Amino acid sequence: MLMIVGRLVGWIAVWIGSLGVLVSFLTPGYTYLFLPVLLYSTFRAVLQLAYFRPSFQIKRVLGQYPWQFLTDVPRGRNKHPQVEYDEMWYEFPNPEKPEEQIPLLFFMNMRTFWWMRRFGTSKTKPELKAQIEPLWFAGDPRFIAVIAATSRRSKSPRRLHLLYQRTATGRRGIEPTDWNASPAALDRARRAGAHVPDSAPPLPRPY
């Protein structure tokens, strides 16, 4: 989180500095020299702002679920046969039924492109694919999870990315699903920021 704030402040400073140079020091004929810097710093500042909400959600997930270091995780770029959306996906075992594989989709956002390049095709360089194998994972694939690539220098998770089931987003018109999860699993997912059904039926009204 501090890194995101630092980068945001840095790019805003670059934007202000570039704008000041353009307005105060350059003649119109030299505007093109600093205009690319101004545009790029604007883009990067907006990008950092877009990271704030996912970063809070990632922190909540990591507060509930430990990291797991996984190898040979099934993945694909084509539509998964079990879902209606045409998105990239990983498959993870159901924590309470390990024989059941649950797909988690990459719903498109500004951070998905990095993963898309490394999911790859038959023409993708092996060194790119190797950056996401093995894979760091924390969460419950029935609701919400965080994945990360492995840093080549420190062998620690990097490029943290939030994945979730659409039924766990709390969006209007989308009902949460319990996946037959235990009350403890539902409570844990709720604390991690997922929208899930109540873990216990409501008490009857007194008459």
Side-chain angles (χ1 to χ4, degrees):
M1 185 62 66
L2 291 177
M3 185 179 297
I4 293 175
V5 173
R7 288 174 179 172
L8 175 62
V9 172
W11 284 114
I12 291 175
V14 172
W15 184 88
I16 294 174
S18 302
L19 183 62
V21 171
L22 282 171
V23 173
S24 305
F25 300 103
L26 294 181
T27 60
Y30 291 95
T31 300
Y32 70 92
L33 293 175
F34 272 82
L35 187 59
V37 179
L38 182 66
L39 294 176
Y40 184 69
S41 60
T42 301
F43 166 74
R44 291 306 299 262
V46 171
L47 199 63
Q48 294 303 316
L49 284 172
Y51 290 167
F52 270 104
R53 185 176 179 182
S55 296
F56 279 114
Q57 292 176 315
I58 286 171
K59 185 176 181 181
R60 291 186 68 177
V61 173
L62 296 181
Q64 296 298 321
Y65 299 98
W67 282 117
Q68 303 176 53
F69 201 51
L70 307 179
T71 58
D72 299 322
V73 180
R75 67 176 188 258
R77 288 187 60 171
N78 298 324
K79 183 176 181 297
H80 192 280
Q82 297 180 22
V83 296
E84 58 180 304
Y85 306 101
D86 190 4
E87 304 284 356
M88 298 189 308
W89 50 268
Y90 271 115
E91 275 188 347
F92 300 99
N94 184 330
E96 295 178 304
K97 296 180 179 178
E99 70 280 2
E100 178 186 2
Q101 293 289 111
I102 298 176
L104 268 174
L105 306 184
F106 281 74
F107 293 106
M108 292 299 295
N109 59 49
M110 289 183 288
R111 304 196 73 174
T112 306
F113 182 72
W114 187 92
W115 289 87
M116 183 183 298
R117 288 190 63 205
R118 285 148 185 83
F119 261 57
T121 65
S122 58
K123 297 181 181 180
T124 302
K125 295 180 180 179
E127 53 267 30
L128 275 181
K129 293 183 178 181
Q131 293 179 18
I132 56 174
E133 175 65 35
L135 181 76
W136 291 88
F137 174 84
D140 188 327
R142 296 170 293 184
F143 307 109
I144 192 168
V146 175
I147 58 171
T150 302
S151 172
R152 286 174 292 182
R153 294 182 179 179
S154 62
K155 294 185 178 180
S156 60
R158 68 185 186 97
R159 293 280 179 175
L160 276 63
H161 191 83
L162 186 73
L163 297 178
Y164 50 84
Q165 298 290 349
R166 285 180 63 89
T167 53
T169 61
R171 294 175 183 171
R172 183 177 299 178
I174 302 178
E175 292 295 325
T177 303
D178 63 10
W179 291 81
N180 294 319
S182 67
L186 291 174
D187 288 341
R188 193 179 192 186
R190 187 182 296 107
R191 292 195 299 270
H195 289 259
V196 300
D198 292 334
S199 56
L203 295 174
R205 294 181 180 180
Y207 292 100

